[in-house]
Amino acid sequence: MDGSTFTHEGTVIGSPTYMSPEQAEGGPVTPASDMFSLGSLLVAAATGHDAFGGDSELAIRRSVRYANPDLFGLPKGLRKIVLWCLAKDPGGRPSPDLLIDAIGD
């Protein structure tokens, strides 16, 4: 509100369970990071649990970076979209336009 910012170089802000692997490591955040966060949000909304877990922030970040997501209870129709969004490599995630095309009307 007063012109100051929350984000600064070298800082990480966000909920670890919704961060992309690159963000969890303190790397650059791009639109691909948003696609990863969307995938995590879809898992939580559809199943009631997080895609990545752990008993500490460090454990969650490690899970985001290296573990497969917990998709238990995820409706079959969402699985392909969510896995695409949750690709560990940012280059393997859809752009918003590709995602919209894949979802269709």
Side-chain angles (χ1 to χ4, degrees):
M1 302 285 207
D2 63 1
S4 61
T5 61
F6 292 107
T7 57
H8 303 282
E9 188 172 329
T11 62
V12 177
I13 294 179
S15 300
T17 56
Y18 300 102
M19 289 182 183
S20 63
E22 58 274 16
Q23 184 180 11
E25 290 183 335
V29 177
T30 67
S33 299
D34 292 336
M35 289 294 103
F36 190 93
S37 297
L38 174 63
S40 293
L41 179 66
L42 289 171
V43 171
T47 67
H49 65 79
D50 293 325
F52 302 96
D55 57 4
S56 68
E57 183 176 335
L58 181 60
I60 294 168
R61 285 183 185 207
R62 188 176 305 117
S63 179
V64 164
R65 183 67 183 121
Y66 299 109
N68 290 325
D70 178 358
L71 302 181
F72 180 78
L74 186 69
K76 188 177 180 181
L78 280 178
R79 189 170 293 268
K80 180 180 175 184
I81 296 296
V82 166
L83 284 172
W84 194 15
C85 289
L86 293 178
K88 300 296 185 186
D89 176 6
R93 297 179 206 140
S95 68
D97 289 338
L98 284 174
L99 186 62
I100 289 169
D101 288 346
I103 293 171
D105 296 335

